[in-house]
């Protein structure tokens, strides 16, 4: 999950979730309905309805008012897609090379530099107050919501109640649900705008509800900690506050590629065998409090360096398990697309679109449609 309890899974929307009435048959609020996949819309579920009825008694005992419960659960319901995504994400992994190809892609770097320029004065003010480098805050924003473009529009009460009912991490998500209702009760946000990712992470920098309660700040001074607003100021400042309170040292770099920094500047890590080595400082550990993953922390740090004007990594990654380098995989994607089997971009990351294109090509030439890239396939496409 988000922040110190979260482990890496590049399921970022960027990269990478509820009624006094019938809970099972509710509909999404108007602010959340547009663009939501069908499996993230409420469906009837008697077991969920019974769980909600019992939960409301527990919530009341923790200080949640009847009116807040009514507002929070109005239009809410069981979301089957949330359970499906929760079950699938634990099996998901990417190499550091693939992760950085997405996290610090040319497009994300370009968008990051433009966003940084637009919000330079706010980011500078946040850095002055909390001591966290402006480009680091911007990079977290970029990884978490693609600089605000992909904040999520699933009702948080529906998402967290579904996961609490499902039970795989029931206690954790019931705690998030209680926190979400307290956010609503506090008046920081209205029920129809209390939205986020399928797992309940919210706003520009994807705070889970308990992290919001502990660390969110009202940077604009309007009396609300509004991390959902089109204005990202509160969200960016909340991220800086989070990092500051979790060990960030003002003026210290997160680290960098070995060779750009001497080994004596920190500890040396090599998340991918045969790939670049990185020298990391205590601020790297602070970034891991936001997401407990070396890949994530390096992704934030490297994207921050690129936003600030730095160049790509100098070190190379070894060929993958199929014997292909990143340049090979890019060439494979380009050649497939040129043959009419569109991979939806050529970034060197073999994801679902590339595998679908490979399968279609293989079938077209009488090969078993495995969807697997290979050196032989690259040669056939020359």
């Amino acid at each position: 999950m988000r922040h110190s309890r979260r482990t890496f899974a590049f399921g970022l929307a960027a990269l990478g979730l509820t009624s006094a009435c019938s809970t099972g048959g509710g509909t999404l609020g108007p602010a959340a309905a547009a663009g939501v996949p069908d499996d993230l819309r409420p469906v009837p579920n008697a077991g969920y309805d019974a769980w909600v009825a019992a939960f409301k008694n527990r919530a009341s005992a923790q200080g949640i008012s009847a009116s807040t419960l009514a507002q929070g659960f109005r239009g809410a319901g069981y979301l089957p897609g949330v359970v499906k995504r929760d079950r699938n994400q634990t099996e998901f992994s990417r190499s550091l090379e693939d992760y950085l190809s997405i996290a610090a892609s040319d497009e994300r770097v370009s968008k990051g530099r433009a966003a940084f320029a637009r919000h330079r004065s706010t980011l500078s003010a946040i850095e002055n107050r909390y001591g966290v480098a402006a480009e680091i805050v911007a990079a977290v924003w970029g990884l978490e919501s693609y600089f605000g473009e992909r904040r999520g529009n699933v009702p948080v009460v529906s998402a967290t109640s579904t996961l609490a009912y499902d039970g795989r991490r029931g206690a954790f998500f019931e705690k998030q649900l209680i926190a979400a209702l307290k956010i609503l009760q506090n008046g920081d946000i209205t029920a129809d705008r209390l939205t986020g990712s399928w797992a309940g992470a919210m706003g520009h920098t994807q705070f889970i509800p308990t992290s919001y309660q502990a660390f969110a700040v009202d940077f604009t001074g309007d009396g609300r900690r509004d991390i959902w607003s089109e204005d990202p100021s509160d969200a960016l400042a909340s991220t800086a506050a989070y990092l500051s309170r979790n060990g960030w040292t003002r003026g210290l770099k997160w680290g960098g590629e070995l060779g750009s920094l001497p080994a004596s500047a920190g500890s040396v890590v090599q998340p991918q065998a045969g790939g670049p080595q990185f020298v990391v400082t205590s601020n790297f550990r602070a970034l891991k409090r936001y997401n407990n993953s070396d890949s994530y922390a390096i992704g934030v740090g490297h994207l921050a360096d690129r936003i600030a004007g730095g160049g790509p990594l100098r070190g190379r990654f070894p060929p993958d398990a199929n014997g292909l380098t990143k340049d090979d995989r890019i060439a494979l994607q380009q050649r497939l697309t040129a043959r009419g089997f569109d991979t939806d971009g050529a970034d060197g990351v073999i994801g679902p679109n590339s595998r679908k294109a490979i399968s279609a090509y293989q079938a077209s030439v009488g090969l078993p449609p495995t969807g697997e890239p290979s050196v032989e396939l690259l040669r056939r496409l020359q």
Side-chain angles (χ1 to χ4, degrees):
M1 283 311 301
R2 301 292 179 192
H3 312 323
S4 59
R5 293 177 179 266
R6 179 172 66 173
T7 56
F8 163 60
F10 205 112
L12 301 177
L15 305 191
L17 284 154
T18 87
S19 137
C21 305
S22 171
T23 57
T27 58
L28 296 176
V36 175
D38 286 344
D39 68 351
L40 291 177
R41 296 174 184 272
V43 300
N45 186 306
Y48 169 85
D49 291 348
W51 183 91
V52 169
F55 166 78
K56 288 180 177 179
N57 292 327
R58 297 194 296 275
S60 295
Q62 294 187 55
I64 307 298
S65 69
S67 62
T68 297
L69 287 168
Q71 291 174 53
F73 280 92
R74 185 172 297 118
Y78 178 80
L79 308 180
V82 163
V83 175
K84 179 179 73 176
R85 287 163 176 77
D86 183 57
R87 299 282 172 82
N88 289 342
Q89 73 158 346
T90 56
E91 302 170 4
F92 192 88
S93 64
R94 286 199 189 278
S95 67
L96 177 64
E97 182 179 28
D98 277 0
Y99 186 86
L100 293 179
S101 293
I102 301 169
S105 66
D106 290 343
E107 182 180 24
R108 199 181 302 264
V109 170
S110 176
K111 282 183 175 288
R113 289 173 177 171
F116 189 91
R118 287 196 307 273
H119 298 279
R120 184 182 301 273
S121 61
T122 297
L123 287 163
S124 295
I126 289 170
E127 179 174 348
N128 288 338
R129 182 175 300 183
Y130 298 103
V132 180
E135 62 269 20
I136 288 287
V137 175
V140 172
W141 186 24
L143 262 63
E144 295 293 348
S145 72
Y146 213 59
F147 306 102
E149 293 183 17
R150 303 172 188 172
R151 282 168 272 169
N153 55 2
V154 179
V156 172
V157 172
S158 283
T160 54
S161 60
T162 293
L163 289 167
Y165 162 68
D166 178 60
R168 190 171 77 86
R169 291 179 287 167
F172 173 78
F173 280 107
E174 181 162 330
K175 186 176 181 181
Q176 301 309 316
L177 176 56
I178 289 287
L181 291 166
K182 288 183 176 179
I183 292 166
L184 181 61
Q185 186 162 283
N186 190 55
D188 282 304
I189 195 70
T190 57
D192 66 321
R193 291 184 60 221
L194 185 57
T195 58
S197 75
W198 63 263
M202 311 175 299
H204 286 267
T205 52
Q206 297 288 281
F207 269 49
I208 57 172
T210 51
S211 290
Y212 174 97
Q213 281 191 302
F215 301 106
V217 298
D218 173 21
F219 193 72
T220 62
D222 66 357
R224 294 181 300 115
R225 301 177 293 172
D226 190 354
I227 65 172
W228 301 266
S229 172
E230 287 301 312
D231 176 359
S233 298
D234 282 359
L236 299 178
S238 296
T239 296
Y242 183 101
L243 292 171
S244 176
R245 290 176 59 186
N246 278 279
W248 187 273
T249 300
R250 183 188 292 265
L252 180 67
K253 287 180 63 68
W254 70 274
E257 192 174 4
L258 180 62
S260 300
L261 287 180
S264 59
S267 303
V268 177
V269 298
Q270 187 180 37
Q272 183 175 338
Q277 294 179 297
F278 299 87
V279 180
V280 300
T281 70
S282 60
N283 281 348
F284 177 80
R285 292 190 290 276
L287 288 173
K288 289 184 66 174
R289 293 288 294 173
Y290 207 88
N291 182 319
N292 188 24
S293 158
D294 283 355
S295 291
Y296 179 87
I298 290 171
V300 169
H302 181 52
L303 179 59
D305 292 343
R306 296 297 312 278
I307 288 172
L313 293 178
R314 297 184 303 170
R316 305 285 291 179
F317 288 91
D320 63 20
N322 297 305
L324 298 170
T325 65
K326 180 177 179 179
D327 288 344
D328 292 335
R329 296 190 296 272
I330 290 172
L332 178 63
Q333 291 169 323
Q334 291 171 335
R335 292 173 190 178
L336 284 165
T337 299
R339 294 282 190 96
F341 303 94
D342 189 8
T343 59
D344 194 29
D347 57 6
V349 179
I350 304 298
N353 291 326
S354 293
R355 293 185 184 280
K356 182 178 178 181
I358 291 170
S359 292
Y361 169 75
Q362 290 170 325
S364 76
V365 296
L367 294 172
T370 64
E372 288 296 322
S374 68
V375 173
E376 177 58 30
L377 180 63
L378 180 61
R379 290 182 182 138
R380 288 182 68 103
L381 286 163
Q382 284 181 334

